[in-house]
Amino acid sequence: MATTAPAPAPEPATDPRALVFSVRNLWKVFGPRADRIPGDASLTGLSAEELRERTGCTAAVRDVSFDVHEGEVFVVMGLSGSGKSTLVRCLTRLIEPTSGSLGMDGEDVRAMDKAQLRELRRHRAAMVFQHFGLLPHRTVLDNVGYGLEIQGVGRVERRARAAEFIRKVGLTGLEQRRPSELSGGQQQRVGLARALAVDPEVLLFDEPFSALDPLIRRDMQEEVVRLHKEEGRTMVFITHDLSEALTLGDRIALMRDGRIVQLGTPEEIVGSPADDYVRDFVRDVPREQVLTVRRAMRPAVGAEGDEDESLDPTALISDAIDVVVRAGRPVRVVQDGRCLGVVDHACLLSVVSRLDRAEVAA
């Protein structure tokens, strides 16, 4: 009988920010008598194929646990069929979980009645989908204000708020156009503005840019980064694209066959892959563009280190190499006025080459 490792537990609660989502041992099983699967130890360890053959059920989400903190960009990534979209839809019960606990701001989401769920979906957690779902007969202005209209906001106020978010996503001057007159990237900006306009606590992105051309996709990623810096809004972002995950995510949950196989920062995912599956995922990532000097620095010897140059421990190795070359000598790594260590050309390059050698050995 094939078995799979249990899902990793959430990281220790060291983040001082408030919890937005708290998920524990969440399952979503599709099929006959699905609720028997999570509690049956003889079934929970079966592979996806074995489970289907024995029970006729598919476990789209298997025993998943994680937290999302206020102001965090939490990315859920994986290949098609990994369970990522099902998992995020469970957060607002667009898909009903089979078992497990699901909290938002300390409230039990699974215990909410229909009215409470409507409130959550309309005011607290807004979805941005791959397919924009714009109303073709309405202008950009009225599309952006549609969520406010559903909330009962008056025409003058909702148009003013819609205009504000149209400006924020860079569509000023297009307020009176119809969706058919917009490019794909512009349509996605309208969808983003519509979600922002209702002032949700959390934005949930379901692969919103996967249908866009690469250059437009990059522009939209940069737009999300900019908006997050400006507003600090909590975001949960689904993607199958590793580059997108590394660009956007404060932390990444990498899924396979319904389970989270590794949860960590981009640097942890790339620098310390949990298993061969993750290692294959990150094999082609330019590590110097993800890893920081904290991983590369060594202790300073005496007053070693350039006095005119210093690096923050969060600086990328790629940026640090430029600084060290310019200085022509070791450079101090400084945080809050305290020297944590130094980096030089050799130790920076050794981190990248050491990881490459580890891959070859694996």
Side-chain angles (χ1 to χ4, degrees), residues 17 68-69 71-77 205 209 221-222 224-226 228-229 233-239 241-254 263-270 289-290 292 316:
R17 295 174 294 182
V68 178
H69 295 90
E72 181 176 24
V73 180
F74 187 89
V75 174
V76 182
M77 73 160 295
F205 294 87
F209 311 144
Q221 291 168 0
E222 291 173 354
V224 168
V225 171
R226 182 185 67 80
H228 182 258
K229 286 181 178 178
R233 202 179 299 266
T234 307
M235 299 180 180
V236 179
F237 199 102
I238 306 170
T239 183
D241 184 276
L242 178 61
S243 176
E244 187 166 74
L246 296 174
T247 298
L248 298 177
D250 294 321
R251 288 190 302 149
I252 300 168
L254 179 55
L263 182 125
T265 65
E267 183 170 16
E268 289 166 344
I269 298 285
V270 171
Q289 296 178 20
V290 179
T292 66
L316 296 178

Side-chain angles (χ1 to χ4, degrees), residues 129-323:
F129 295 97
Q130 174 182 342
H131 302 292
F132 318 125
L134 303 181
L135 302 171
H137 60 288
R138 291 198 173 203
T139 64
V140 167
L141 187 67
D142 289 336
N143 264 286
V144 173
Y146 181 65
L148 297 170
E149 182 179 344
I150 291 175
Q151 292 180 1
V153 176
R155 177 183 173 87
V156 173
E157 181 183 350
R158 72 171 180 262
R159 286 198 152 206
R161 285 172 61 181
E164 174 190 351
F165 285 99
I166 287 171
R167 177 187 59 78
K168 280 196 172 187
V169 300
L171 293 179
T172 299
L174 304 181
E175 291 87 348
Q176 298 307 315
R177 293 197 183 181
R178 298 290 195 276
S180 61
E181 301 174 275
L182 305 177
S183 67
Q186 289 171 334
Q187 290 181 31
Q188 190 58 278
R189 287 173 187 265
V190 175
L192 178 58
R194 181 176 58 190
L196 287 166
V198 299
D199 194 26
E201 179 184 353
V202 185
L203 281 171
L204 306 174
F205 294 87
D206 187 5
E207 298 204 63
F209 311 144
S210 60
L212 301 178
D213 292 337
L215 290 179
I216 299 174
R217 180 173 186 156
R218 187 176 64 189
D219 287 345
M220 288 304 302
Q221 291 168 0
E222 291 173 354
E223 186 69 19
V224 168
V225 171
R226 182 185 67 80
L227 286 169
H228 182 258
K229 286 181 178 178
E230 286 183 1
E231 300 197 344
R233 202 179 299 266
T234 307
M235 299 180 180
V236 179
F237 199 102
I238 306 170
T239 183
H240 65 269
D241 184 276
L242 178 61
S243 176
E244 187 166 74
L246 296 174
T247 298
L248 298 177
D250 294 321
R251 288 190 302 149
I252 300 168
L254 179 55
M255 294 190 70
R256 182 188 188 190
D257 295 334
R259 298 185 184 274
I260 294 177
V261 294
Q262 186 167 0
L263 182 125
T265 65
E267 183 170 16
E268 289 166 344
I269 298 285
V270 171
S272 304
D275 58 19
D276 288 343
Y277 180 74
V278 181
R279 192 172 292 107
D280 284 342
F281 238 101
V282 304
R283 186 179 300 276
D284 298 324
V285 174
R287 288 161 179 76
E288 68 277 8
Q289 296 178 20
V290 179
L291 304 181
T292 66
V293 297
R294 188 185 294 276
R295 186 177 288 264
M297 65 185 182
R298 59 175 174 77
V301 178
E304 183 184 17
D306 192 284
E307 295 182 0
D308 298 322
E309 296 275 10
S310 65
L311 289 161
D312 187 89
T314 61
L316 296 178
I317 286 179
S318 57
D319 296 329
I321 290 173
D322 292 338
V323 174

Side-chain angles (χ1 to χ4, degrees), residues 340-354:
L340 305 181
V342 297
V343 289
D344 55 28
H345 200 255
C347 68
L348 290 170
L349 294 181
S350 71
V351 171
V352 178
S353 62
R354 186 165 65 244

